[in-house]
Amino acid sequence: MNKKTLENTVSKMMSEPKGLLAMDESSPTCAKRFASVNIEDSENNRRRYRELIVTTPNLNNYISGAILFDETFHQKMSTGEFFRDYLEKIGILPGIKVDTGAKDFANHPNEKITEGLDKLRERLGEYASHGAKFCKWRAVITIGESIPTNACILSNCNSLARYASLCQENNLVPIVEPEVLINGSHDISKCDEVTKASLENLFEQLDIHNVLMSGTILKPSMVISGDNNKSRADVSTVAEMTIKRLSDSCPNDLGGIAFLSGGQSDDEATSHLNMMNKHNKDLPWRVTFSYARAIQQSALNAWRGDDSNQSKAQEILSGRAKACSDASVGNLST
Ligand code: 13P
């Protein structure tokens, strides 16, 4: 592990006023997103869509790193250039999602365990040799009747720590993502309680596995009411409770924090981030975004697979990326 290399990558990823763009939907997830706007699911359409994203004018003013799926990492653009090389050329660090998905957790109905540790060392070596600078692993924690269980939290956090230490062995910055799902009718205090348990377990496991904190980025969900809760907490409450949770549960030497959007509307995802950054100027780490849907969805809706909609879709994408960037420094105009 080269501490300097890892810290240097972290500082590029966390540079102001930028954040991360998650465009690492697995092929089945991408198929779902395409189906919602009647786009045929094919490798060529996935390439066309991702090419539209990365060639959006001025994207590099707002985005410091892009998380790719394996197919895109090894794919060439219509120009014949690899996506990963094009991104590096325009100053956006290429990253790669390396987990192989959240699967049913044996003996634990309605819970998931993320897989992907088998042969991970070899896969990471290959990604690094092709220019990847960072990785992502997503664990899923579901709130429901008698869940999450300790077993689910512990097993997922243990896998995240094993993944993170293998990444650092290969000088790749690990993004550790313990996503507490927004789905449900729970209130914000329940979300806070589960987020606390998840973060505390995660940092304990990372510590046990000697993971370098300054070479690690946390990708958390916000502390927020369930999407079916009848009286959802307002923007200030979400911002305050999220910052309090992170301040209480994350070590000061953590490299940085970049939220997922997790099914929030575009406006919610930017307003919450803006409120956090507007009122908290002296946090020990940068607090930014690593959104997929809250950057991409409105552009995908406008594109619908039709080349004649490309510039409109790119304009929308650029607008979303700018709004997220403004929110990441507390400067979003409302
Ligand atoms: P969303 O922002 O759509 O939640 O996706 C972020 C992500 O990368 C989930 O792993």
Side-chain angles (χ1 to χ4, degrees):
M1 178 205 307
N2 185 323
K3 186 169 182 268
K4 255 206 168 124
T5 304
L6 291 167
E7 289 177 347
N8 185 34
T9 302
V10 163
S11 95
K12 287 184 184 157
M13 292 168 77
M14 291 292 112
S15 64
E16 289 191 11
K18 301 184 188 180
L20 306 173
L21 167 62
M23 47 180 290
D24 60 331
E25 297 83 3
S26 63
S27 299
T29 302
C30 201
K32 250 191 270 168
R33 303 270 150 83
F34 278 7
S36 71
V37 284
N38 283 324
I39 299 174
E40 187 202 340
D41 174 39
S42 67
E43 182 179 345
N44 190 45
N45 279 343
R46 291 192 292 273
R47 183 196 53 71
R48 288 173 64 228
Y49 177 54
R50 270 124 183 194
E51 187 159 337
L52 177 156
I53 294 177
V54 301
T55 58
T56 293
N58 302 322
L59 193 67
N60 51 4
N61 289 344
Y62 316 122
I63 302 295
S64 57
I67 314 171
L68 306 178
F69 184 58
D70 180 75
E71 176 182 271
T72 322
F73 190 82
H74 292 295
Q75 208 169 29
K76 288 180 176 166
M77 299 166 63
S78 57
T79 52
E81 192 171 17
F82 282 110
F83 276 90
R84 58 186 193 239
D85 295 341
Y86 173 79
L87 286 166
E88 179 95 49
K89 190 176 75 187
I90 62 169
I92 296 180
L93 297 179
I96 176 82
K97 166 200 175 75
V98 298
D99 67 71
T100 55
K103 308 286 163 60
D104 288 344
F105 189 32
N107 275 346
H108 293 81
N110 303 319
E111 294 196 291
K112 300 280 182 195
I113 179 76
T114 299
E115 296 185 349
L117 288 170
D118 288 352
K119 300 234 165 49
L120 183 58
R121 171 176 276 136
E122 292 77 10
R123 289 164 55 219
L124 293 175
E126 204 219 322
Y127 288 131
S129 75
H130 285 114
K133 297 290 185 273
F134 66 94
C135 298
K136 181 188 105 171
W137 179 290
R138 170 176 178 254
V140 178
I141 314 289
T142 309
I143 299 180
E145 181 90 28
S146 311
I147 59 171
T149 59
N150 287 337
C152 175
I153 292 179
L154 234 159
S155 301
N156 274 297
C157 291
N158 178 263
S159 297
L160 277 163
R162 289 184 58 200
Y163 140 82
S165 52
L166 283 163
C167 285
Q168 293 189 338
E169 180 188 80
N170 282 282
N171 295 319
L172 293 161
V173 168
I175 296 180
V176 289
E177 179 178 4
E179 176 172 5
V180 177
L181 292 182
I182 198 170
N183 310 89
S185 53
H186 54 272
D187 64 13
I188 193 169
S189 317
K190 181 68 190 178
C191 177
D192 184 48
E193 182 195 308
V194 171
T195 306
K196 177 177 195 284
S198 306
L199 291 178
E200 290 181 356
N201 258 280
L202 175 62
F203 287 110
E204 187 183 348
Q205 287 293 321
L206 292 173
D207 186 49
I208 290 170
H209 287 78
N210 293 333
V211 173
L212 177 73
M213 273 304 108
S214 58
T216 301
I217 289 175
L218 174 70
K219 175 161 173 165
S221 37
M222 294 182 191
V223 175
I224 193 166
S225 320
D227 57 355
N228 280 325
N229 184 272
K230 291 276 183 290
S231 48
R232 302 191 70 211
D234 62 12
V235 174
S236 328
T237 309
V238 170
E240 254 171 55
M241 286 184 70
T242 301
I243 289 296
K244 171 141 184 36
R245 175 49 45 225
L246 295 172
S247 301
D248 288 354
S249 302
C250 300
N252 285 354
D253 56 348
L254 177 64
I257 294 179
F259 290 105
L260 57 96
S261 58
Q264 297 181 49
S265 70
D266 288 4
D267 278 353
E268 283 178 323
T270 27
S271 309
H272 289 145
L273 182 62
N274 186 58
M275 188 69 89
M276 288 183 221
N277 280 302
K278 197 167 169 180
H279 297 292
N280 297 280
K281 297 288 181 196
D282 52 358
L283 296 170
W285 4 254
R286 175 150 165 73
V287 173
T288 186
F289 60 91
S290 175
Y291 296 160
R293 281 163 291 179
I295 296 180
Q296 292 183 43
Q297 190 62 47
S298 46
L300 178 65
N301 295 345
W303 180 54
R304 297 197 314 273
D306 185 338
D307 283 341
S308 68
N309 295 328
Q310 167 142 343
S311 50
K312 182 73 204 157
Q314 288 187 324
E315 204 180 296
I316 293 172
L317 190 93
S318 173
R320 285 302 306 146
K322 181 178 188 312
C324 293
S325 161
D326 289 346
S328 80
V329 287
N331 269 345
L332 185 72
S333 50
T334 42

